[in-house]
Structures are given as C-alpha cells and as structure tokens.
Amino acid sequence: MQAKEVNGVKAPVDSSKPNPNEVEFDNLYLDMNGIIHPCTHPENKPAPKNEDEMMVAIFEYIDRLFNIVRPRRLLYMAIDGVAPRAKMNQQRSRRFRASKEGLELVEEKRQMREEVLSKGGFLPQEEVKERFDSNCITPGTEFMDNLAKCLRYYVADRVNNDPGWKSLTVILSDASVPGEGEHKIMDYIRRQRAQPNHDPNTHHCLCGADADLIMLGLATHEPNFTIIREEFKPNQPKPCALCNQLGHEIKECQGLPKEKQGEFDQLGSNPPIGSEAEFIFIRLTVLREYLERELTMASLPFKFDFERSVDDWVFMCFFVGNDFLPHLPSLEIREGAIDRLVGIYKNVVHKTGGYLTENGFVNLERVQMIMAAVGEAEDNIFKKRRDDDVSFRKRQKEKNKRMKTEAASFVPGGQLAPQPLGQRSGGSKPQPLQNARQTAYEMRVQGRDQQNKTSAHSNSSNSDGSPVPLGTKRKNGDNDDDDEPPDNIRLWEEGWKQRYYKNKFDVDASDDKFRRKVVESYVEGLCWVLQYYYQGCASWKWFYPFHYAPFASDFTDIKDMPSTFEKGTKPFKPLEQLMGVFPAASGNFLPKTWRALMENPDSSIIDFYPDDFAIDLNGKKYAWQGVALLPFVDERRLRAALEAVYPDLTPDEIRRNSLGSDVLFVGKHHKLFDFIVELQNSGAQDIEMSPELCHGIKGLLTLKDDVIKPGRTVESPVPALQDITENNVCSILFKDPQFEDGYTFKAALLPGAVKPSKVLKPADWEQSNQKQPWKPRLGFNPNRPQVHLDQAAFRTLGHVMSKDRSQGGSGVYSYTPPPLYQQAKNSRPPLMRAPPSLTVPLPSLRPQDSWRGPQPLFQQLIPQRNQGIEQQLAWNRILQSQTGMFQQNHHRLGSIMPNPYQSQDRRGRQGYPDRRYPLPPDSGRYSWN
C-alpha cells in the first residue's frame, strides 16, 4: 500500500480503514535489523548520502509495512541488542568478513581504474565520499544510539498524526536492551501467553527476512501466525562500480563510453533500479497443515500429539545448521536432509517410546536412536554426493561447450539491442525507432564484419578464444581444470573420518577423548539452542568452541551427557561486545584507549584481531559459504584487559555502555493514557499494568527522566523534520512479566484457541489425483469468489483501458485494432464503424436483432473457404484500412448512429449516457423471437 500522489503532493494512506488483504492483524512485530540494513546500504539502488537520509528511509519503510499489515492492538519494534556468547561468534565472523571484503573492493576498484585508464578507457570522475561501514549497526555505537532517538521521535509523530496509530500500543526495544531482535519478540510472546488475560486467538504478524523466523513462529504454537518479508528476486541488475553502466561487473569493465540511444540519447535511460520491494505473506497455519499431513503416524505405542511432533521437527532442523552450530557433514539442506530426517524419525519413533522433546528440553536417549540411523547412512550419503557432483560437473561442461558453439556471432546494440523482459528502456511503453533505415544498415554492416572476423579466427584459436602459437596443439575445452581448490578430505573414499579430523581439528581420529569432547559440546549446543527457542536464553556465556561439527556416527552413549547450564549469567555490555566482534579496521567506533588494544602490537589481546585470516570453503563453492578461521575470544582475558581502560570512558560513552529497557508509547485516545500520565505526575515506580487497559498486555511500568510527556515539545533529531509542538503522546519504561527461576513455558495450544479453517483439501493429497496440479488458495479469505472476465470485459480492456497507468501514457492496447473474430456459434465480432471509403449494402435485419443496429462490417466481409484469391486480397486491404482508421479514430467510436432501441433493452440493460462505444452484441445464449 503506497501513498497516492496528486498534483505532486502525496496523500497519506488511511491505515485506520479495513485491511485490503481481507485479514485483520492484532499485533505487528518488526525485526528492525532486517529493515536497517537495506535502508542504510541498499544493494539495488543508490545509497543514502548521509545519516539523516538513512533515518528517513527507515521511517518510510516502516510506514509501508504498517499500511500493509495495519495492526489494531500492538506494534513491537525490536533492534538487536547484545547477543548471547553463542551468537557473538557468528557476528564476529560476519564483521571480519565485511571489513575484509570492503577493503578488497576499494583496492580492486583502484587497480581496475588505473588499468582501464592506462588503456585509454573512459570512466566518470570518482566521487570522493566516505565509505559507510555497516559494522556500525552494532549495539554500543553512536549510530545505534542516534537511531533509538530517531525512532522515539518517529513513534511520537505517528501516534500524534496518523489515525491508524491513535489507539495503538507501541513498544520500542532498542539496541540497549540485551538480546537478538527476533528472540526479544519471542520472549515477549511467551510471557504474554502465560498470562490469564491473554487472547489465545490473537493474530500475529512478524516482519523479518531470516529463515529461522519460521521455526520461531512454529515454536510459539499460536494458531494465527503470519510472517511478512520482502520477495526474493535473484539476478537483479547491478551497475558496474567503475562506470555505473549495466551489463558487466567491475572485473569486465573496459571503460567504454555510454552508447548513445536515440538522436539526443532520449532512449538511453537505464532499466529501473531499486524499484520498491514487494512483500509476501508466509502463513504458518498452511505450513502446519503440511506438517500435520507429513508427521501424522498411525499405530504408535503412545498417543499422537501433533504439537509435540512439530517441536520434534523444529529440533531436527537444527542438524542442518543454524546461527549457533555448524551443520553435520552428512546433512546438507540442498540435498533433502530435512526430508531424510523426517523419514528416519517416522521409522524410529515407534522404538523411542515417546517424542524427542518436551517444552524445549531434549530427551537424549531418544535422540541417540535418530543419530544412529543417520550414522548408518553416512557412507552412502557421501558417495551419492560425489556421484551427483561429478554428474553435475559433466553436464555443466557440456553446457558450456554447447553455449560456445551456439553463441550468437553478433548481438545488435543501440535502439535494437535486446532488452530483458519487463525492463524495456524508457519505461514500459514501446518507443519509436529513430532513423530506423540507417540503424538497420549499420547493424547489417556490423554483423557482416563480425562474421568475417569470426570465420578468420575460428581455425586459429583455442576453445577459450586465445590464439594458438605456431607448433602447439589446440586446447581441449572438455579437459580444462576447474578453479576450485582440491578436496583433501575426500569423504567418498575409505578413511574419510581419519582425514576429516586430521585436517579440520588437527587431531588423529583414534583420539577418542577429543572426539568425545567435540560430540559433548555439540550435544550441549543442541540442548542450548532448543531452550533458547522455547524458554529463553539458558546461558549468556555458553558457545560452541569449534569451527566444525562431528559426524553423526560419533554420537554414541550421549544419554548421560550434561544438558544443563550455569544459571545467573549476565550478558556482555555493549562496548565489551564491540571489542569481541569488531576487527581492528572498525576500531573508529570505539573509544581511543579501547581501540589501542586492537592495534598496539604490545596489547595483551592483540591475537584476537588478526589482519588477515583464512577461509575454508569446506566443500562449498563460494567464499561467503566457507568457514572463517578466526580465533575464539577468551572472555576472561578480554575483561582483564578492559579493566585498565574503563576509567577513560566519557559520560556519554558510559551511558551508551549501559543496558536499557523497553519503552511503551500510547496516545490520548488509548485507555492506558490517563493511567500513565498519573504515574508521571506522582513519580511512582514499578507499577503493574492493568491488562484490561491494554488489550490483555501485562507488565511493569517504570519512570525515567527522558520519557515523553504530553504537552511538551518533542524535538526532532533529523534537521529536515519538524519538532512536535502539540504533543498528545506519553511514554514509560516497560518490562515483561517476570517469573520464578525454573518456570517452564508450555509449548502447546492454549485453551480456547480456535484453529483456522483448513486451506488444503483432502483430495489434494491423493496420489491418484494427477489430473490437475495442486494449487493453494490465494488470499486470506477462503470464501473469496473467483472472478472471470467474459468476452465483453476483455473488449473493454482492449479498447478503453490502458496498460500503461502512468500519466500521459496511452497504453499498449491503444496501438492495436480490435482482434479478428471468426464466425462461431456463441461468439460475435465487436461493433465497428465502416470506413467512409467503403459502401456496403446492409442486409435486412431480423426483429430480434433490430436493437443491435447495422450488421458489423467484419460479419459481412469474413472470407469463406471457397472465395477466390482476389476477394482474399481485397479482404486484407479492408483490414489494413480499418487498422489505420482505428488507430486514428479510436477515440471517436461514440459517433456511431444512435440506437433508438437502446433505452428499451428487453434484457434490462441500463443505458450509459457517457459510454463512448456501443453496447456489445448478444452472446447468442437466448432467442428473442
């Protein structure tokens, strides 16, 4: 949903009106990091020039999401805070990679620019601007502190001025609140579900791009849970980083000037880049139907519980990898590992005597049976993977060879250059050619020259196009070696386990004690991750201390391994986390004395910040898929080194290094408004919020000095935006309901929860039903009637409506005459006025056809099979004449002779005084004799 623009002014969307998607959501949760990254450093459009533009882009992104979802009760915005130690390892790897890749890109651009210019190429003048370091999107930086201020202003502005926000409860959990954004959202849902006032039929909508949101949504066991995310569109065009032209990458840039398209380059506009993203809904209720069909088992020795089987499915997905653990070597998600695990699970669950998990806790004795079954198949999995890889490489080489021989010898450029579908230059309208005859002549000359050049060099070049020196043989393209590094593990050959542990862990496979330690750490990780998904963070200190996972066949005797964690652990502080995840290149976001610990060779922790590091592809193809071999941070050594520099922090840095709380906002139309205003006036602390005043939401309210109070001006942190002088919004600190240590949140449907109506049909699952492919029901309304256009509707679209909805666009339909209709039983041609140059005698009209007026010309002159060639040619000339007349006079079709019978239409048709075309002909369905 976008704001409509009228005379250059955007009219805002009224989000208080019913949702056009035919579903009403109660709560909208925003995983803000999925919004911050594409708004600050987008991949498919120019980046914002400064921080203020970034903030405005974030505001507009949230506005668009809000207008699509239109929540009625709650908007929860969560930014990633300090993460658990297990997540910090992945964050450290990503930030070191980002810094390394950014520096490599700058160096590559410099070298390519020098090379292109030395060869006489043309490049636009390099813009001198500071590179945006995306690593600043980390808790504790000045950027994140400013973002929190801007979002507080944004919420106050929208609640004051937008009718869709006036009765809404808004909670902002900024980067000062510890925890990942999506897990802060899950923790809020868990704690509210445990309250007696919670509505079990709340409609949740979560926005985020991470795949684990699907698992987290299933783990809530809420019957109405939907995920909204940007639609993924691969292979989007990106301009060259040197010349800003499309069609090549920086390594292929030759510095050619932009080709002129049209006499004044009026056709030279690039395809639209950075068009607004489209969003899709992922309905977990439909996924639950799929899982119910897939996981339902008969003849179990215990009662089947679908909710418990969903928890087991979520747990088994951890084996293919997540943010905290590497995937098992034998389980690759692209090889159907999840389907393999489900098959093993259904075969083994009869022997386990129960489910693998319960409320987020793992039964290791039953898990061992699953791992034993996977371990038995490991050898065959590795051999099949090798066979598939060899087969794929063979097909790829054959394809490359075929593409070389079948490649077009010449591809026209300029106005006649082929354009990608949907990306025609100059917009969606077809553009007229400029000097088409000269352009065609030049194209033929270029094609002839290219053909001569190809034939001259075809016998003196290799398969890769390089010249063949005299006295040497031509290369064989099929035997070219790949650029991929050799695989020293060779999992498909005997001795794979020995080679794996020697190469990856630098130990001998016969070292049972070390292998046991790796397995124990991995099992401990499985238990930690499951508790993190269902009960919250079990330990802020735990992490998996290896870069690689063990084999499934090594999971023996795991039932007695420890699965409990140290209680009472605390998260890192924001600046401490920056020291744990930042490379030295991003040290400018840290205080000066702290930065010295990352750069000074004499620092006691200098080994935490290597200038360069290896990336192990680990069987993958691309570097981003590999494993960054970085040293793990020792928490005790880090804290000991920081003790000496803590006194150097300024008051502002001390504030940014402290942990904060969520902030709740309401407007004057909210039931909770007066209650909060009284608290602000009285200065009371830690007051329990009444759920009756806030849609069943419960929590503790606490005052702070910088809260927003009604009647006080809210200053804008963005200079381009105005201050809020007439403020009717109040804010207060909010804390989720607290529970005793050891409390277990139930993973089950709540009493009173109503399951949504089924979307999938029973007949869709029958294997015998192969006549029509299964199609899901579109939209949220299961009773939405299907709309079908009849013949008259298609004529209306073709003759009146424009394909091009842009201003001034006449549309593609306007350039074509009406379609030719053949004489058929239930179809008649459209009415058309005969050209003035043609005089055709009209036949006598039947009484039942008198309302229709004169017989259409097409009906009178359709050639028959037995007509002579002269009549056929005459017919073609008539069609050409009518085509030209239609293109010139299609806006004057209303000048046809008025029909005196139109107002007395027997079929009850209403007259349309403003119609510019006659009524359509009878469909022939009824007889009016």
Side-chain angles (χ1 to χ4, degrees):
M1 300 302 296
Q2 305 179 24
K4 297 181 180 180
E5 188 170 335
V6 181
N7 297 328
V9 179
K10 287 188 176 181
V13 176
D14 188 357
S15 56
S16 63
K17 293 183 178 180
N19 196 316
N21 293 303
E22 301 186 39
V23 60
E24 295 296 331
F25 292 102
D26 297 314
N27 298 350
L28 171 60
Y29 311 95
L30 301 181
D31 182 8
M32 290 297 298
N33 282 61
I35 298 175
I36 299 169
H37 281 280
C39 289
T40 53
H41 52 104
E43 295 183 355
N44 60 344
K45 61 182 178 181
K49 298 178 182 179
N50 51 49
E51 200 168 296
D52 292 338
E53 289 190 4
M54 295 178 186
M55 299 302 166
V56 173
I58 293 172
F59 297 167
E60 293 176 349
Y61 197 107
I62 299 175
D63 281 341
R64 188 164 180 229
L65 279 171
F66 190 91
N67 293 333
I68 293 173
V69 179
R70 305 189 183 185
R72 304 308 181 191
R73 297 180 183 174
L74 173 72
L75 172 62
Y76 193 109
M77 297 188 289
I79 306 175
D80 281 357
V82 175
R85 184 73 172 82
K87 176 73 173 184
M88 285 174 58
N89 288 337
Q90 188 203 54
Q91 292 178 338
R92 175 177 167 85
S93 174
R94 287 179 176 176
R95 281 153 180 76
F96 270 76
R97 285 171 183 258
S99 178
K100 182 179 180 180
E101 292 169 359
L103 296 176
E104 290 175 350
L105 178 61
V106 172
E107 180 63 21
E108 183 182 17
K109 288 178 63 176
R110 186 189 64 79
Q111 293 180 359
M112 286 297 302
R113 173 173 284 274
E114 293 178 356
E115 180 180 347
V116 170
L117 294 178
S118 65
K119 294 180 179 180
F122 170 81
L123 291 175
Q125 187 175 2
E126 188 174 10
E127 297 181 9
V128 180
K129 63 178 182 179
E130 186 178 355
R131 184 179 69 90
F132 176 74
D133 189 353
S134 61
N135 284 348
C136 70
I137 309 176
T138 310
T141 62
E142 294 181 6
F143 177 86
M144 299 303 287
D145 185 57
N146 184 40
L147 174 62
K149 296 177 182 176
C150 292
L151 287 176
R152 288 195 288 268
Y153 164 81
Y154 165 77
V155 172
D157 177 73
R158 293 301 184 268
V159 176
N160 272 298
N161 301 314
D162 194 313
W165 292 61
K166 64 180 183 180
S167 299
L168 200 66
T169 305
V170 183
I171 297 178
L172 172 61
S173 181
D174 60 30
S176 66
V177 183
E180 297 178 80
E182 64 268 30
H183 287 276
K184 289 194 284 188
I185 293 171
M186 292 299 119
D187 195 53
Y188 168 83
I189 295 176
R190 271 194 303 269
R191 293 175 181 273
Q192 295 300 327
R193 289 181 84 244
Q195 304 302 319
N197 299 88
H198 175 72
D199 180 6
N201 297 303
T202 301
H203 283 246
H204 307 271
C205 185
L206 171 60
C207 174
D210 293 343
D212 62 346
L213 296 182
I214 298 176
M215 308 298 174
L216 290 170
L218 291 173
T220 62
H221 292 275
E222 287 288 289
N224 303 292
F225 207 105
T226 304
I227 296 173
I228 183 173
R229 59 176 296 170
E230 284 190 20
E231 183 181 5
F232 175 67
K233 295 181 180 180
N235 303 324
Q236 293 295 297
K238 297 181 181 179
C240 171
L242 283 180
C243 64
N244 295 325
Q245 297 185 44
L246 295 173
H248 63 271
E249 297 180 355
I250 185 174
K251 296 180 180 179
E252 304 167 349
C253 185
Q254 300 178 4
L256 299 177
K258 186 178 179 182
E259 187 174 357
K260 186 177 179 181
Q261 299 186 17
E263 185 177 358
F264 303 103
D265 199 26
Q266 69 273 25
L267 307 177
S269 60
N270 287 330
I273 300 177
S275 55
E276 245 179 359
E278 297 179 355
F279 292 90
I280 58 174
F281 285 110
I282 302 175
R283 304 176 61 190
L284 296 191
T285 178
V286 180
L287 177 58
R288 285 172 57 89
E289 288 187 50
Y290 279 110
L291 291 176
E292 187 171 8
R293 169 71 182 189
E294 188 71 23
L295 299 175
T296 299
M297 294 166 284
S299 303
L300 287 177
F302 51 88
K303 182 181 179 181
F304 176 76
D305 187 345
F306 171 64
E307 304 300 326
R308 296 283 302 278
S309 63
V310 168
D311 295 338
D312 287 358
W313 185 82
V314 170
F315 172 73
M316 288 188 296
C317 289
F318 295 162
F319 292 114
V320 299
N322 52 61
D323 291 344
F324 316 99
L325 292 171
H327 69 84
L328 296 179
S330 56
L331 296 177
E332 288 275 3
I333 192 169
R334 60 184 178 87
E335 297 175 351
I338 295 179
D339 292 336
R340 181 187 297 274
L341 286 169
V342 170
I344 292 175
Y345 173 76
K346 295 172 73 172
N347 291 332
V348 175
V349 73
H350 296 80
K351 308 173 186 177
T352 61
Y355 295 97
L356 306 180
T357 66
E358 183 177 8
N359 296 326
F361 297 94
V362 184
N363 188 314
L364 294 178
E365 184 176 3
R366 297 169 182 173
V367 172
Q368 182 175 331
M369 298 184 186
I370 301 290
M371 301 309 295
V374 177
E376 292 176 359
E378 269 186 332
D379 197 39
N380 292 331
I381 292 173
F382 295 143
K383 291 180 179 178
K384 185 178 184 303
R385 181 183 300 170
R386 173 63 176 176
D387 294 341
D388 293 342
D389 186 53
V390 171
S391 177
F392 173 77
R393 292 173 184 267
K394 182 178 179 181
R395 293 195 306 270
Q396 197 68 22
K397 286 187 176 181
E398 292 175 354
K399 178 182 177 181
N400 294 339
K401 183 178 179 181
R402 187 169 61 254
M403 293 292 290
K404 289 179 181 179
T405 57
E406 297 177 358
S409 60
F410 171 69
V411 178
Q415 303 178 72
L416 301 178
Q419 297 287 342
L421 292 176
Q423 298 177 4
R424 186 182 291 113
S425 62
S428 59
K429 289 194 302 181
Q431 299 292 333
L433 294 177
Q434 303 289 333
N435 199 358
R437 182 170 297 181
Q438 178 66 22
T439 302
Y441 169 75
E442 294 174 355
M443 186 182 70
R444 289 196 298 270
V445 172
Q446 293 177 9
R448 182 185 60 192
D449 295 343
Q450 182 70 22
Q451 185 177 5
N452 294 337
K453 185 186 298 184
T454 302
S455 60
H457 293 279
S458 60
N459 296 323
S460 61
S461 61
N462 290 313
S463 59
D464 57 0
S466 60
V468 180
L470 294 176
T472 60
K473 292 184 179 181
R474 189 182 297 111
K475 294 179 183 178
N476 185 354
D478 292 340
N479 295 327
D480 293 340
D481 294 332
D482 295 327
D483 296 332
E484 299 180 12
D487 186 357
N488 297 323
I489 308 299
R490 301 188 304 280
L491 292 172
W492 61 92
E493 294 182 2
E494 291 293 333
W496 46 269
K497 185 174 290 189
Q498 171 73 22
R499 291 189 296 271
Y500 179 82
Y501 279 99
K502 188 64 178 177
N503 281 268
K504 304 299 185 183
F505 297 93
D506 196 22
V507 297
D508 195 274
S510 59
D511 190 346
D512 295 335
K513 185 177 180 181
F514 180 83
R515 287 167 53 194
R516 182 75 176 175
K517 181 180 179 182
V518 175
V519 172
E520 183 175 318
S521 298
Y522 200 91
V523 169
E524 199 173 24
L526 292 173
C527 298
W528 184 91
V529 175
L530 192 68
Q531 289 189 42
Y532 191 39
Y533 272 53
Y534 283 84
Q535 301 295 330
C537 187
S539 170
W540 290 91
K541 295 174 59 177
W542 180 90
F543 68 97
Y544 182 67
F546 302 100
H547 290 109
Y548 305 96
F551 291 105
S553 54
D554 293 329
F555 284 72
T556 57
D557 299 328
I558 65 173
K559 63 179 180 179
D560 297 327
M561 288 185 176
S563 58
T564 57
F565 302 91
E566 180 183 354
K567 296 185 180 298
T569 56
K570 301 294 183 181
F572 276 73
K573 291 185 177 180
L575 293 183
E576 293 174 351
Q577 187 198 22
L578 294 184
M579 292 293 297
V581 301
F582 269 3
S586 299
N588 57 303
F589 298 116
L590 286 160
K592 186 176 181 179
T593 54
W594 293 46
R595 189 189 321 156
L597 296 175
M598 310 170 78
E599 301 172 343
N600 191 345
D602 298 329
S603 170
S604 60
I605 54 173
I606 189 64
D607 55 306
F608 294 168
Y609 312 101
D611 294 331
D612 197 9
F613 53 92
I615 294 180
D616 180 14
L617 291 181
N618 197 28
K620 302 297 191 298
K621 187 176 181 180
Y622 303 103
W624 61 269
Q625 297 174 311
V627 179
L629 301 179
L630 290 166
F632 294 102
V633 173
D634 188 332
E635 181 179 346
R636 288 176 294 181
R637 286 179 56 197
L638 177 63
R639 292 186 184 276
L642 293 178
E643 286 181 2
V645 295
Y646 252 110
D648 301 330
L649 295 179
T650 64
D652 183 64
E653 290 168 345
I654 293 175
R655 179 185 59 82
R656 286 193 283 115
N657 193 39
S658 59
L659 301 179
S661 299
D662 298 343
V663 184
L664 183 144
F665 302 80
V666 293
K668 66 177 182 179
H669 298 282
H670 199 285
K671 294 180 180 180
L672 195 61
F673 180 80
D674 294 333
F675 182 76
I676 295 178
V677 171
E678 288 190 12
L679 290 179
Q680 291 178 343
N681 295 332
S682 62
Q685 298 287 341
D686 295 334
I687 302 299
E688 189 169 315
M689 183 173 63
S690 175
E692 290 79 8
L693 298 177
C694 196
H695 308 291
I697 299 175
K698 193 174 181 180
L700 295 178
L701 303 179
T702 305
L703 291 177
K704 194 177 180 182
D705 294 337
D706 58 350
V707 296
I708 297 176
K709 296 183 179 181
R712 294 188 181 181
T713 300
V714 180
E715 297 181 356
S716 170
V718 181
L721 303 178
Q722 298 180 351
D723 296 342
I724 306 174
T725 55
E726 298 181 2
N727 175 49
N728 293 304
V729 175
C730 61
S731 69
I732 195 168
L733 300 187
F734 172 82
K735 183 181 289 187
D736 290 325
Q738 301 300 303
F739 296 87
E740 300 177 356
D741 291 341
Y743 181 86
T744 300
F745 296 99
K746 301 300 181 183
L749 284 175
L750 294 178
V754 179
K755 291 186 177 181
S757 57
K758 296 285 186 179
V759 174
L760 306 180
K761 302 176 182 178
D764 295 329
W765 299 105
E766 297 179 4
Q767 296 181 359
S768 59
N769 186 17
Q770 300 292 341
K771 295 182 180 180
Q772 290 184 346
W774 177 83
K775 293 183 179 180
R777 181 174 292 148
L778 301 178
F780 284 86
N781 182 6
N783 300 318
R784 172 188 291 175
Q786 296 292 329
V787 178
H788 300 281
L789 299 182
D790 58 6
Q791 188 178 359
F794 277 111
R795 282 198 299 275
T796 302
L797 289 173
H799 293 240
V800 181
M801 296 187 65
S802 169
K803 263 189 178 181
D804 185 7
R805 303 297 180 89
S806 61
Q807 293 182 354
S810 56
V812 179
Y813 279 130
S814 303
Y815 290 98
T816 57
L820 302 181
Y821 286 82
Q822 298 295 330
Q823 197 82 310
K825 179 179 179 181
N826 292 327
S827 64
R828 294 180 183 271
L831 293 172
M832 283 191 60
R833 184 166 53 125
S837 59
L838 298 176
T839 56
V840 182
L842 299 178
S844 58
L845 300 177
R846 296 180 299 170
Q848 62 269 26
D849 293 334
S850 59
W851 72 274
R852 224 182 277 122
Q855 191 174 8
L857 182 64
F858 279 5
Q859 187 173 339
Q860 302 167 29
L861 297 177
I862 291 180
Q864 303 298 325
R865 292 179 180 269
N866 55 0
Q867 284 182 311
I869 187 64
E870 294 82 4
Q871 292 175 304
Q872 297 274 351
L873 293 175
W875 170 250
N876 292 336
R877 287 195 296 272
I878 293 173
L879 291 181
Q880 294 174 3
S881 173
Q882 289 183 339
T883 299
M885 292 297 299
F886 178 80
Q887 291 178 348
Q888 297 175 14
N889 303 321
H890 68 283
H891 61 283
R892 292 181 291 173
L893 286 177
S895 61
I896 288 182
M897 177 181 62
N899 191 344
Y901 300 96
Q902 182 170 337
S903 59
Q904 290 120 7
D905 185 0
R906 293 188 181 183
R907 292 187 289 178
R909 298 190 182 217
Q910 297 179 355
Y912 293 87
D914 296 331
R915 283 180 91 128
R916 305 180 65 180
Y917 53 89
L919 287 171
D922 191 358
S923 63
R925 186 177 303 170
Y926 304 104
S927 175
W928 303 100
N929 290 327

